[in-house]
Amino acid sequence: MIRVLLADDEHLVRGALAALLGLEEGLEVVAQVGRGDEVVPAVELHRPDVVVLDIEMPGMDGLTAAERIRGQCAIVILTSLGRPGYLRRAMAVGVSGFLGKDASAEELATAIRKVHAGGRYLDAELAAAAMAAGDSPLTARERDALRLADRGAGVGQIAAELHLTEGTVRNYLSSAMTKLNAGNRLEAIRTAQRMGWL
């Protein structure tokens, strides 16, 4: 029996997935959580074989949760946000399966079984889009500056948070805008988010 933990902030989706997976032979949903920051304690308590994570959850995003439980169980990302950069980041943090929420219950069950057996399961369209999009052109500092700007931080706050001068922060933001062919910070943030680079 493959023990599965479901993490999705949409109660209806999570409940439906649990019911559908419960009909699959050899799978047992041992726990469900609705917040990303509940994933690590639930993994420690229930010891699942496979965790199915949504990317966007309150408390902690699915990719951060995946990084924190890496090595304790196999991980499948199930998301409505099929952004190319998310797939690359997921692979980098140890995720073995990645598919969209438009997948069938049978496909999700197949993915769970495959990653439990040590394999990988990737949605073919998402994988092709990730390859076509290429790597993020942003440096780590440019991403950090854009993330903080997205939270409403001004140049002074970003500089204080990153321990940089305000001039350096302006340079990072300007460089990010240039790389993303954006006319302003907001446009740069939206482009980076759309590609899954933030």
Side-chain angles (χ1 to χ4, degrees):
M1 189 67 75
I2 301 172
R3 297 166 51 83
V4 179
L5 183 148
L6 296 175
D8 193 306
D9 63 326
E10 296 177 45
H11 183 72
L12 183 62
V13 170
R14 193 174 66 245
L17 284 174
L20 290 169
L21 291 176
L23 299 174
E24 291 286 332
E25 188 175 330
L27 300 182
E28 178 187 9
V29 176
V30 295
Q32 301 176 46
V33 298
R35 294 177 52 89
D37 53 5
E38 295 173 338
V39 172
V40 174
V43 167
E44 292 171 356
L45 179 64
H46 298 284
R47 301 287 179 204
D49 300 307
V50 178
V51 174
V52 177
L53 295 170
D54 188 10
I55 287 183
E56 294 289 327
M57 291 185 287
M60 179 187 302
D61 67 81
L63 294 175
T64 302
E67 190 169 16
R68 296 199 179 162
I69 61 172
R70 177 180 15 198
Q72 298 178 55
C73 53
I75 305 165
V76 174
I77 294 285
L78 182 66
T79 184
S80 56
L81 302 170
R83 298 173 182 155
Y86 282 162
L87 176 58
R88 289 178 178 273
R89 287 173 49 206
M91 296 298 105
V93 299
V95 171
S96 300
F98 196 99
L99 61 161
K101 283 189 177 178
D102 58 349
S104 67
E106 294 79 19
E107 186 177 5
L108 177 57
T110 298
I112 290 169
R113 289 184 181 103
K114 188 164 185 178
V115 301
H116 179 257
R120 288 194 182 272
Y121 192 96
L122 304 178
D123 178 280
E125 287 185 29
L126 292 176
M131 289 173 51
D135 292 327
S136 170
L138 302 172
T139 67
R141 283 300 199 181
E142 290 165 350
R143 280 193 306 273
D144 291 341
L146 286 177
R147 275 192 196 103
L148 290 169
D150 184 39
R151 294 182 195 149
V155 171
Q157 292 172 298
I158 296 170
E161 179 84 19
L162 299 179
H163 307 289
L164 300 169
T165 67
E166 290 185 17
T168 302
V169 169
R170 283 188 193 91
N171 287 342
Y172 282 136
L173 291 171
S174 176
S175 177
M177 289 167 31
T178 300
K179 289 177 179 179
L180 298 176
N181 198 25
N184 57 49
R185 281 184 218 162
L186 183 59
E187 192 179 324
I189 290 166
R190 297 299 167 247
T191 298
Q193 287 174 332
R194 187 178 65 251
M195 294 303 293
W197 294 332
L198 275 189

